[in-house]
Each structure stands twice: as C-alpha cells, then as structure tokens.
Amino acid sequence: MNKFNLKEKTLIIIKPDALQRNLIGEIVGRFERKGLKIIGMKMIKLSDLLLNKHYAHHKDKFFFTGLKNFMKSSPVVIMVLEGLEAVSVTRLIVGPTSGRKADAGSIRGDLCISTQTNIVHASDSVSTARQEIKRFFKSVELFNYKKMDFEFVYGEEERE
Ligand code: CMP
C-alpha cells in the first residue's frame, strides 16, 4: 500500500457571496491549478435540516442565525476534492475564517473582507471531511476516473 494517500478527500462549499459576486470559476480554478482532483460537484439549496447538522457545533454562537440566513440566501456549489493531504492543502489555499486575517494569495485573503461572508467552507479534518461528504453526496455522485496530468502533478515516489 502506498504510504502517500493520493485519495484523501475534502468537502468544499462555495457560499452564496461567491455566487453573487461571480467568483465560482475563480475559486474552482484555484483548486484545479493546485492539482486537486474534482471527484464530485453540484449546485444545491441548503435546507434548515442540513444547516443545523453542518453547523451544529456553532448552534449556541451569536452568529448562528445570521450564518444560516446567509447560507440559505441563494444556492451554493458543493464539491469534493481529492489529492495528497487534500484537507490541509485546501485549508491553506482557503485561509483562516476571517477575510481580514487571511494572507494575500489565499482565497479568503484575496477575495473577501468578512468573517461570515467568507466565500468558501472547507472541511477542517480528515474525519470531519468524511462526515461532511456523506452528508452532502450520495456515493453515485462521486467519480473515480483517471486524470491525464496525474504523473506531472505528483512525483514518481508519491505515485507508487
Ligand atoms: P465556515 O468555514 O463555513 O465555518 C463556520 C462559519 O461560521 C464560518 O465559515 C463563517 O462563515 C461563520 N463564522 C465564524 N465565525 C464567525 C463570526 N465571528 N461572525 C460571523 N460569522 C462567523
């Protein structure tokens, strides 16, 4: 078994502010250019039920109601990305929660100034990613396919 797990997965939600600001292509492009593989992608409208589950750990926070209203304000695009250390790589590209604290070069650092309307959600650990992917995608909506750039995205030892 390969010691490099090239199939680690993470969940991304492209939030309503990104849709309204015409940033879907920009965001998807950044993940693609990094070398992450898109194995699932769709547009959905988030329900109260889904949001209560997804943000259960924030239910007592002052921003919970506002966050839910924002996340329901338009559809979102959700995607599953796959790659070596996909969870931590993605978090690095996305940047910390507040757009004001995120470094230039990161998605939030370049594209937002808010803590709530912060463009994307990215799973915060491998185990959270597993739960979140199950919450939003059926197994038939995730694809296992060969990517032609694979041998240039990864080095030989990483692919073995
Ligand atoms: P996300 O990565 O989706 O995880 C939880 C979300 O809650 C976060 O992005 C923000 O959209 C929102 N959030 C976190 N902290 C705050 C805050 N202090 N004020 C408003 N919204 C917040």
Side-chain angles (χ1 to χ4, degrees), residues 15-18 21 23 26-27 30 70 93-121:
K15 297 186 179 186
D17 53 332
R21 296 177 53 208
L23 293 172
E26 163 83 31
I27 294 161
R30 286 183 181 220
F70 160 57
I93 296 174
V94 168
T97 306
S98 169
R100 297 188 298 282
K101 305 257 161 52
D103 284 336
S106 66
I107 289 174
R108 287 170 174 160
D110 286 349
L111 304 175
C112 73
I113 197 166
S114 167
T115 308
Q116 180 180 87
T117 57
N118 61 358
I119 306 279
V120 283
H121 165 84

Side-chain angles (χ1 to χ4, degrees), residues 2-71:
N2 191 345
K3 65 182 165 163
F4 297 104
N5 177 13
L6 305 189
K7 288 188 170 285
E8 185 174 302
K9 295 171 185 49
T10 192
L11 179 93
I12 298 292
I13 304 176
I14 304 181
K15 297 186 179 186
D17 53 332
L19 264 79
Q20 296 297 344
R21 296 177 53 208
N22 308 315
L23 293 172
I24 297 171
E26 163 83 31
I27 294 161
V28 174
R30 286 183 181 220
F31 292 129
E32 283 185 306
R33 290 202 298 274
K34 181 69 175 175
L36 290 156
K37 181 175 172 185
I38 301 170
I39 64 157
M41 191 170 177
K42 61 184 176 180
M43 183 179 266
I44 61 165
K45 192 103 185 353
L46 292 170
S47 63
D48 276 317
L49 193 71
L50 266 175
L51 283 167
N52 287 342
K53 278 191 197 150
H54 184 66
Y55 286 131
H57 53 299
H58 289 311
K59 78 172 179 0
D60 298 322
K61 306 261 172 67
F62 73 93
F63 57 80
F64 185 62
T65 304
L67 175 62
K68 276 181 58 180
N69 289 338
F70 160 57
M71 293 297 286

